[in-house]
Each structure stands twice: as structure tokens, then as C-alpha cells.
């Protein structure tokens, strides 16, 4: 694949090719832990991918291996910039902006695939949980650390995790802060498949290629429907937004607007009340 750099950032890499965007967290010396800037940059890249009509799938991956030979997807929030009320940005403002990023990944009408080699830990684990699909390398290691390091993610990080692996397993993951292998993650339905690390990106591209053959509107409606089952009124808004989009694309929907602009009564009698 002929990756083209889409935009240059400090903490991430952003590439595109053949309908696929690739966002790479590029802080291997920190096991790809994120600071506020990293999150701002990821948010910007995800927004770009969302806006791009050509892009249907986004791959999220961590740069690596590091000089010590170890891989990481993401080790969560950068504890070295954690201040009294959050992760401090370069002006000293405390932030938890990864929550904004989680919502964007969750609601964007494109498929986001996490490609996990090495550690997916803490807030980094939550990022892969939020993604639509996860492909793990054989060396992937999964786990939450919050209660060990004085933090927790009681949002998607707990509730959506429980939807995936079940209540008992999710409580175990959070309460004991253990680490789990790729095979254990596969067994609990936390990842979609496990491949050798050197095949990770190729496998992600294979899955992306299959998805890109499918109907964009069918995929976006399915993603919204899966979300709606868990996300309350926000999920319903997303799903209903797709219904509105489709309605606007009908003659019936356009008749209402046209009649208003032509200062006449709308003629909806020509449209059937389908069973
Ligand atoms: C990931 C893990 C298990 C890897 O262990 P190991 O032994 O392979 O590496 P090591 O030596 O711990 O880490 C290598 C370098 O990366 C830094 C380390 O400090 C070390 O730096 P140097 O000593 O070489 O200078 N590093 C790794 N993770 C970091 C991090 N998160 N922040 C800053 N520096 C980090 C092991 O490194 C580990 O357990 N990491 C911490 C995982 C963690 O607890 N993350 C935060 C969870 S809380 C969170 O993410 C969060 C939330 O709960 C709610 C909202 C938002 C975020």
C-alpha cells in the first residue's frame, strides 16, 4: 500500500491510502502514552478522516517497537504530566480530553479498527475498547490499571467493556488490574482475531478492504444501531440522524422543503403509507 502523509503532527503520524486512514500514536519512548497534545492531534486527524468522503475505515495503531524491542499500542494517560485536576497541557490547563476523543471514535460514521501490538493498558485499553473492531498481535497485552495508579474510567471504559466481556469479567479486569494475553482477550471476545505481529497492519488492511466493498450507508446505519443499543439518548440521536439523512434523500422529504420555498402547500398525497 502506498501510504501518503495526510498531515504532519508532533505526537502522531497520519497517513491515507486507498480509502483507509491510519493514525499512529508516536511516543514509543512512553509506550505511546498520551498527553493532552497527543489527544488534540488524534482528535484533529479523526475529524479529518470523518470529513473525507474517500475514507471508510480508520486504523489506529501505536508506533513501535521502541529501542528496547518492546511494542505498545498505548499505555494510557501520560502520568508524568498528570496534575491536580487532570493531564496538564503545555499552558498548564488540566484536561481529560481523551473523553472527547472516545465520543468521536464512537459516533463517527466510519469503521475504526484498533491494531494492537504490545501494551494496551489503562486509557490505552479503553481506546481499543471504543474502536469498532480490534485486531491483536500475538504479543498484545491488555489491562486496566486505574485503581493501581489512582484513576478510573467509569464511562465507556467500564460500562461498554462490560457489554463486551460481561459484568463479571469487566469487574475482574478493573478490580484486580491484571494483564491478559492476546489469546485470553480473544477467548473473552475482547478482540476479533490474533495474528503474528509482523502481519498486524496487513491484516488490518485486509479487513478494511473487505469493509470498503460494502455499502457505506448500510455500515453507518449498523454502527449507529449498535451504539443506540447502549448509548441512551445520544445513541438514539445518532441512529435517528441517519434516518433523517435518508429521508432528506427521498422525493417525499424534498417535497416539504420545495413547497415551503415555492410558498405552496406540500402535496404529500402522492406518497404511499407503506404497510
Ligand atoms: C505499560 C507498562 C505495563 C509497560 O511496562 P514496561 O516494564 O514494559 O515499561 P516501563 O519501563 O514501565 O515503561 C517504559 C517507559 O515508558 C514510560 C515509563 O515511565 C518508562 O519511561 P522511562 O522510565 O524509561 O523514562 N511510561 C509507560 N507508561 C507510561 C504512562 N502511562 N505515563 C507516562 N510514562 C509512561 C507500564 O509502563 C505501565 O504500567 N505504564 C503505566 C500504565 C498506566 O497506569 N496508565 C495510566 C492509566 S490511567 C488512564 O490512562 C486514564 C484514566 O484512567 C482515565 C482517563 C484518562 C486516562
Amino acid at each position: 500500500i502506498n501510504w501518503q502523509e495526510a498531515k504532519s503532527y508532533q505526537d502522531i503520524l497520519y497517513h491515507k491510502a486507498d480509502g483507509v486512514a491510519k493514525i499512529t500514536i508516536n511516543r514509543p519512548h512512553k509506550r505511546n502514552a498520551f498527553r493532552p497534545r497527543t489527544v488534540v492531534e488524534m482528535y484533529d486527524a479523526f475529524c479529518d478522516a470523518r470529513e473525507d468522503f474517500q475514507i471508510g475505515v480508520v486504523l489506529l495503531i501505536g508506533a513501535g517497537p521502541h529501542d528496547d524491542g518492546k511494542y505498545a499500542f498505548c499505555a494510557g494517560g501520560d502520568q508524568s504530566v498528570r496534575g491536580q485536576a487532570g493531564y496538564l497541557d503545555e499552558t498548564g490547563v488540566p484536561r481529560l480530553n481523551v473523553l472527547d476523543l472516545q465520543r468521536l471514535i464512537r459516533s463517527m460514521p466510519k469503521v475504526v479498527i484498533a491494531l494492537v501490538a504490545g501494551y494496551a493498558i489503562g486509557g490505552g485499553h479503553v481506546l481499543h475498547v471504543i474502536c469498532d473492531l480490534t485486531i491483536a498481535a500475538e504479543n498484545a497485552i491488555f489491562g486496566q490499571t486505574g485503581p493501581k495508579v489512582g484513576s478510573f474510567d467509569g464511562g465507556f471504559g467500564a460500562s461498554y467493556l462490560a457489554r463486551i466481556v460481561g459484568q463479571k469479567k469487566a469487574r475482574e479486569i478493573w478490580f484486580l488490574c491484571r494483564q491478559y494475553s492476546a489469546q485470553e482477550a480473544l477467548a473473552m471476545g475482547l478482540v476479533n482475531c490474533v495474528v503474528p505481529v509482523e502481519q498486524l497492519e496487513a491484516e488490518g488492511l485486509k479487513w478494511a478492504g473487505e469493509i470498503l466493498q460494502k455499502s457505506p450507508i448500510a455500515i453507518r446505519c449498523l454502527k449507529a444501531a449498535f451504539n443506540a443499543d447502549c448509548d441512551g439518548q445520544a445513541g438514539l440521536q445518532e441512529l435517528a440522524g441517519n434516518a433523517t439523512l435518508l429521508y432528506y434523500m427521498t422525493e417525499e422529504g424534498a417535497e416539504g422543503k420545495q413547497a415551503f420555498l415555492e410558498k405552496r402547500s406540500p402535496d404529500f398525497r402522492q406518497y404511499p403509507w407503506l404497510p
Side-chain angles (χ1 to χ4, degrees):
I1 190 157
N2 187 17
W3 289 119
Q4 301 291 322
E5 185 178 65
K7 189 168 171 184
S8 166
Y9 295 99
Q10 201 171 314
D11 285 7
I12 68 166
L13 306 172
Y14 183 39
H15 293 91
K16 291 181 189 174
D18 301 339
V20 183
K22 181 173 68 161
I23 297 172
T24 308
I25 308 172
N26 191 22
R27 307 186 78 215
H29 60 293
K30 294 257 186 188
R31 301 281 186 253
N32 293 321
F34 53 78
R35 54 179 174 167
R37 168 187 281 275
T38 324
V39 174
V40 166
E41 293 180 355
M42 281 198 278
Y43 195 91
D44 188 70
F46 270 106
C47 281
D48 178 86
R50 180 185 179 137
E51 291 297 316
D52 189 335
F53 285 18
Q54 303 298 319
I55 298 296
V57 177
V58 183
L59 304 178
L60 179 60
I61 192 168
H66 182 44
D67 299 343
D68 62 5
K70 285 196 176 180
Y71 288 79
F73 171 72
C74 176
D78 185 332
Q79 299 305 299
S80 67
V81 298
R82 195 170 135 188
Q84 222 188 346
Y87 297 87
L88 304 179
D89 70 14
E90 283 135 42
T91 65
V93 176
R95 300 197 182 274
L96 211 49
N97 55 350
V98 74
L99 302 185
D100 300 333
L101 177 64
Q102 290 176 4
R103 284 197 301 278
L104 175 59
I105 293 173
R106 178 101 177 143
S107 64
M108 65 189 285
K110 318 266 169 120
V111 177
V112 183
I113 306 178
L115 301 181
V116 178
Y119 292 105
I121 296 283
H125 186 259
V126 177
L127 278 183
H128 105 83
V129 165
I130 287 283
C131 291
D132 297 295
L133 300 165
T134 298
I135 300 175
E138 284 165 348
N139 67 1
I141 298 170
F142 300 87
Q144 298 296 158
T145 59
K148 212 163 60 177
V149 297
S151 182
F152 65 93
D153 182 338
F156 288 119
S159 64
Y160 186 50
L161 180 68
R163 294 286 186 124
I164 295 171
V165 300
Q167 283 282 342
K168 296 279 184 187
K169 203 71 195 176
R171 286 167 202 236
E172 173 192 313
I173 290 169
W174 273 101
F175 294 171
L176 280 72
C177 297
R178 286 182 183 165
Q179 294 182 352
Y180 301 87
S181 69
Q183 283 305 330
E184 288 171 315
L186 185 65
M188 63 176 109
L190 188 56
V191 305
N192 295 89
C193 70
V194 180
V195 296
V197 68
E198 55 282 0
Q199 282 171 29
L200 185 61
E201 186 175 309
E203 189 69 16
L205 286 168
K206 184 164 162 268
W207 286 53
E210 286 184 43
I211 292 164
L212 289 169
Q213 301 304 313
K214 308 298 185 294
S215 154
I217 287 183
I219 298 285
R220 70 180 285 148
C221 288
L222 281 165
K223 176 163 176 171
F226 283 122
N227 288 353
D229 182 43
C230 312
D231 292 0
Q233 288 190 320
L236 210 52
Q237 183 205 41
E238 220 180 281
L239 187 62
N242 283 297
T244 308
L245 178 150
L246 292 168
Y247 180 54
Y248 282 178
M249 291 162 75
T250 65
E251 263 185 38
E252 182 183 334
E255 165 63 10
K257 174 202 67 174
Q258 209 51 37
F260 175 80
L261 292 177
E262 291 169 9
K263 300 191 186 306
R264 60 174 172 82
S265 298
D267 176 14
F268 288 121
R269 297 300 295 269
Q270 52 185 316
Y271 302 108
W273 295 83
L274 294 172

